[in-house]
Amino acid sequence: MNVLVSSDNNYVRHLSVAVYSLLSKNDKCPKIRIFVIDNEISRGNKDKLTSVVEVFPNSSIEYIPFKQWRDSLKLDMPWNISLSSYGRLFVASMLPKDVDRVLYLDCDMIVTQPLNDLWNYDLKGNVIAAVQDAVPDKFKNAVGLRPEDRYLNAGLLLIDLKKWRETDCERKCLDFIRER
């Protein structure tokens, strides 16, 4: 299972709890590879997070510095969202080419049961599986959506990374942001 998370130094404590819950509830999974989009996490906090992962022999952790992607973002949003939350848009560029499926989890998520069924979910040719979220029209309008458009909660995503790359989703998402 490949898992992607994103954090800056302010959310590492939450991320540590999320990672522990992920690993403790999925201890029967043969291999869990965790990729952390690292938005300037301190060395000390990385060491603490790595020590959580090292307790579980079926897991590994890799840190991906976010700087090169972060610096390319040109955002003009009317609310304050951590730049780390945009890291998932660069999933195709960040992750190794041998990774063809990844589960994205927000860093403040708590895993309460094994994720085997979710990990093995048939995407039926879709690029992602996500949960539709109910948001006010005002919010949709602020991000360039019409009231009738569906808004997906991006806190938990199952991504067919092969298809994401083939359909150039990264560029399409960034174009959407730039046009708004």
Side-chain angles (χ1 to χ4, degrees):
M1 182 183 314
N2 300 305
V3 178
L4 179 67
V5 293
S6 183
S7 184
D8 58 24
N9 215 42
N10 296 316
Y11 284 88
V12 171
R13 185 175 295 182
H14 305 288
L15 178 59
S16 296
V17 173
V19 166
Y20 181 83
S21 71
L22 164 73
L23 297 175
S24 65
K25 294 299 180 181
N26 291 278
D27 58 338
K28 303 289 188 260
C29 184
K31 182 175 170 125
I32 300 175
R33 193 172 174 193
I34 301 170
F35 298 94
V36 178
I37 301 172
D38 170 11
N39 191 10
E40 299 184 13
I41 300 172
S42 72
R43 176 79 267 157
N45 278 335
K46 285 182 195 174
D47 290 345
K48 289 175 187 173
L49 183 56
T50 300
S51 70
V52 169
V53 174
E54 288 174 341
V55 170
F56 299 89
N58 64 331
S59 64
S60 64
I61 189 165
E62 298 175 41
Y63 296 92
I64 304 166
F66 186 41
K67 183 170 179 22
Q68 88 178 71
W69 292 280
R70 183 189 65 222
D71 292 347
S72 72
L73 282 171
K74 306 281 190 274
L75 300 174
D76 183 23
M77 296 291 187
W79 54 86
N80 186 20
I81 296 175
S82 169
L83 283 177
S84 296
S85 66
Y86 290 93
R88 72 198 93 184
L89 299 178
F90 301 99
V91 63
S93 300
M94 292 179 166
L95 296 184
K97 298 296 182 222
D98 68 318
V99 176
D100 58 3
R101 178 177 264 229
V102 67
L103 182 62
Y104 176 85
L105 302 175
D106 265 354
C107 68
D108 59 354
M109 190 165 285
I110 302 293
V111 177
T112 61
Q113 61 188 24
L115 298 177
N116 310 21
D117 290 343
L118 177 57
W119 177 250
N120 294 310
Y121 182 78
D122 182 0
L123 290 172
K124 299 179 175 125
N126 292 302
V127 177
I128 65 168
V131 175
Q132 186 171 336
D133 207 345
V135 297
D137 291 346
K138 177 179 158 182
F139 182 82
K140 287 182 179 181
N141 186 52
V143 297
L145 296 175
R146 299 174 311 224
E148 65 272 14
D149 289 335
R150 292 187 301 161
Y151 182 88
L152 303 177
N153 185 312
L156 173 65
L157 302 170
L158 180 60
I159 304 169
D160 179 336
L161 201 45
K162 185 173 186 249
K163 194 170 226 41
W164 181 281
R165 290 177 176 122
E166 288 170 358
T167 58
D168 202 13
C169 282
E170 181 176 312
R171 183 193 55 77
K172 290 175 182 175
C173 289
L174 293 173
D175 287 349
F176 179 84
I177 290 170
R178 287 183 187 118
E179 291 169 5
R180 303 301 181 255

